Amino acid sequence: MSVSVESAAAGTVTSDTPASRPSVNRVECPSRLVLEHVTSRWGVLVLAALLERSHRFSELRREIGGVSEKMLAQTLQVLERDGFVHRDAKPVIPPRVDYSLTPMGREVAQQVWALTRWVEGRLDDVFEARAAYDSAR
């Protein structure tokens, strides 16, 4: 049994047919949105930073160069909603909020971290391919 796209919102379970299985190639598949969240520019960087350890908001902002306060807050909220990030608000003054990965968040962070390392390791090859492409035009 699986949950179809239509029944996901209603919380009903349907039979496991090809049309009900997630597939990022189908326009209506909700996995596309989740994939967009974890592979967005800021999503990848937040997940990578939290893979090392938990961070406060200001620490994350310093760690992730170039992210605005607004984009960081939105990214954290989306990743929290998807179940990848845990937000721990402590009832102290001044307020203290720590962000960490959930077990599912750690799993996806390891996947995007591997992709990130691969890209960094192949940059020279990408630059060569670009130069060859551009010179052939």
Side-chain angles (χ1 to χ4, degrees), residues 74-90:
Q74 287 177 351
T75 301
L76 286 165
Q77 186 175 18
V78 164
L79 293 174
E80 180 185 6
R81 184 172 186 253
D82 286 345
F84 301 126
V85 169
H86 173 72
R87 181 180 185 273
D88 183 21
K90 306 242 189 301

Side-chain angles (χ1 to χ4, degrees), residues 12 55-56 60-61 63 70 90 96 101 121:
T12 59
H55 287 278
R56 294 178 75 177
L60 274 173
R61 185 136 185 251
E63 178 80 16
K70 178 183 176 186
K90 306 242 189 301
R96 179 181 173 103
L101 294 175

Side-chain angles (χ1 to χ4, degrees), residues 46-68:
V46 165
L47 290 168
L50 291 175
L51 192 53
E52 296 173 17
R53 63 178 182 85
S54 64
H55 287 278
R56 294 178 75 177
F57 186 89
S58 58
E59 292 173 329
L60 274 173
R61 185 136 185 251
R62 282 191 299 273
E63 178 80 16
I64 302 169
V67 67
S68 69

